[in-house]
Structure formats: C-alpha cells, structure tokens
Amino acid sequence: MKHQFFSSIAKYAIRAPSGKKQLGFEAFHAQDWKTAAIEFDEALRNGESDRNIWLSAASAHERMGSHDVAATYTSLANRLHPSTCYDSAAAFGVYAAAPVERDTIATFLTEHAAELSTSAELACLQAKERTTAARAFVYWDTDNRPDIVRQCIESMHKFAPEDLEVVELNAATIKDWVTIDESLLAGIENPAHRSDVIRLNLLSTHGGLWLDATCLLNPGFPFLYDQINRENFFLYTYRGSRTGNWFFWAQPDSYRLQLLRAALHLWLESGRPWSNYFMFHDIVEMLYWTDARYRNDWDTGLYLHPREALEMNKSLGRRLADHEWFDIRRRSPVNKLTWKFDQSKLGDPTTGVARLVSEAARGQ
C-alpha cells in the first residue's frame, strides 16, 4: 500500500510525460528520492514545466533533506503554475512541507467540495437530534500498557472534572462505541493512522474529547476544559490551520468535524492510500483553504499553541534540578509525552523520565 500514493501522482500528472520527466515519476513511485530528484531536475532544465513536476521535484528533494531546494521549487510552482483550486501561495507560505502530497489533497477536496459539504451538513443536522454526554476517550490497543501510558491514564481519572467521564478503550471494546467499515481500515498498516480514523469516528458519533494515551493531565486541567467546552471544535494549533490531533475536542454537530470525517472517508473509499505520516493533519489544514465555511469557523474559534504542553516531553532525557522539574511538571494543564524513550536515562534519578517514573511509583 505504501507505494500506491506515489503511483497515483504519476497517474494524474500531465498526460504522457516523456524522457526525464517519466523517469522522475517512475523513481518517485519507487520512493527512490535521489534518482527522482536528479531526473526531475534534468526534465526542468529541458523545459518540461508544469505544476505537478515542480511540486514532485520539491517533495523528492525534501525527502532527501534538501529543504532549501524544495522551498524554491514549491515557490516556483506557485508562481509559474498557480493552482486554480485554492490559494496555494498563501497555503505554502504558512507551511511548506510535503508540497505535492498536500497539493494533491487540496485538489481532491476541491473536486469533491459540493459532495463533502452536503455530507457534512446532513451529518450536523442528524447529530442535533442525538443526546450526548461529556466524555473523554483514551485508546490503547491492548491491556499491556507501558508504565508512562498507565501513569497518563491514571492522571486522566484523577484530574478530569466530575462531569467529564473518562472512557478507556482498546481493540476489543472499541466496537461497543462506534461502527467503522472495516474496508476503511483494511489498507492502513500504521497503528497511529488507524487511530486517526477511530478518533474521528468516535467524536463524530458521540462528541467529546480524544486524549492520546500519552497525555498527562495536571491539576490545572479543569480550567482548560472549561475553555474548550465553550467551543464546538478544538485542536491545538501550531501555525495557521496546521495542528496536532493528540488532544481533540468536538461536538458531533460541528461542521468542521463532520467535513473532516467526510473528507477522510471519501479519500479512503476512493482507493487512495495514506500518503504520508501526517496525512490526517494535511486534510485538517487543506480544508481551511478549500471550504469557506470551514475557514470562517476556524478563524472565529479558540486558538492555543501547544508550546508549553510539549515542554515536558523535550525534558524527559535531560538532567534537571528540582526547581526545573517542578516548573516543567506544572507548567501546562496537559502534557503530550511519548512512551518510547532511552531506557538508560532511568539510571540517572535527575532525568525527567526517571523523575516521572519515580512519581508513578510513589502514587503521585
């Protein structure tokens, strides 16, 4: 499945590419980024210029780590061959990564705009007829949880407000809460991407809060919950409409939520595979540039950057003085951590991860 997206780019490129351009697409399909970059560069020098080749060349160079070249090629694509579907110069001005992948998504969203909008509006109307309770969903495939995951889930039960029910889910119990067409999940190999589909369908059905299992809550969480509870959709935002989805709040009658669900489902139902690790985030972002109602709702919604929520994770491998740990530990009402860390760091009691594990052992 991982090669299908790249072959689809070649399929929908300007028809009958020849010479170096064709070799570039073949190498891109094989994920041979170096060869693709060389062949695309040669094709461009030979005058074979269109939007798709510039952006494909940009993505190939980006995959090789040549970010300056990728940024230049993306800029040239938008200058020489601007998109007729959306304001591509503005979109890539906010965030420049994965150019051909995101452009393909934006084009898809524009081509199916009327269908997606109608689907979302109908889902919003149906959601208004349902009664939902305030719930926070946390998911881990099995009952075999790493220590940090156990500590995070314990913090959810400890610091969630009384009116917010914490619901623990796994691969066996998720079916009690939401029905997902298995065909949507069949071609998704990465557990993180399967989780993206699960969280979107859970919130579309029940509304509430999705917390990644590595979210550690603090005593100040009820204040944050009070803020987001006034919104019908909330994701921490890095820049523009570029977000994370590890902390995801939505009401089931949110247009943004239902449009996002409709877009992801239609993408998968049409046989298109997951294009890159952050494809879910790409769809969240590119809907902003292709749907006016979604953009207006976004611009009038709550904006919070997760800067402080990410500080603890950056500190897990560092040696910290007591006062530094105390400050980092309580700086944010929610902390996004990882359960994957260098085990050798546990041998030094002053590292962030050793301090965290020690707290868990003491029941803090």
Side-chain angles (χ1 to χ4, degrees), residues 344-360:
S344 67
K345 299 297 183 181
L346 290 171
D348 184 342
T350 67
T351 62
V353 68
R355 290 175 180 274
L356 195 60
V357 170
S358 176
E359 287 182 2

Side-chain angles (χ1 to χ4, degrees), residues 258-304:
Q258 297 296 351
L259 188 66
L260 177 56
R261 178 185 180 277
L264 181 60
H265 276 224
L266 186 60
W267 176 275
L268 296 174
E269 288 165 358
S270 65
R272 295 168 180 259
W274 219 269
S275 63
N276 67 93
Y277 188 82
F278 295 107
M279 192 190 82
F280 183 99
H281 308 70
D282 294 342
I283 295 177
V284 172
E285 176 201 11
M286 301 315 281
L287 281 170
Y288 178 89
W289 298 103
T290 59
D291 187 280
R293 179 177 171 184
Y294 182 99
R295 181 166 56 252
N296 180 71
D297 288 353
W298 193 281
D299 288 340
T300 56
L302 176 67
Y303 175 93
L304 292 176

Side-chain angles (χ1 to χ4, degrees), residues 127 130-135 137 169 174-179 198-209 249-253 257-258:
R130 298 196 301 270
T131 301
T132 58
R135 297 187 178 97
F137 297 100
L169 299 171
I174 187 67
K175 296 175 183 178
D176 297 333
W177 286 86
V178 66
T179 301
I198 289 170
R199 77 191 66 190
L200 193 53
N201 280 273
L202 268 173
L203 297 184
S204 298
T205 303
H206 302 285
L209 177 64
W249 165 266
Q251 301 287 0
D253 63 349
L257 173 68
Q258 297 296 351

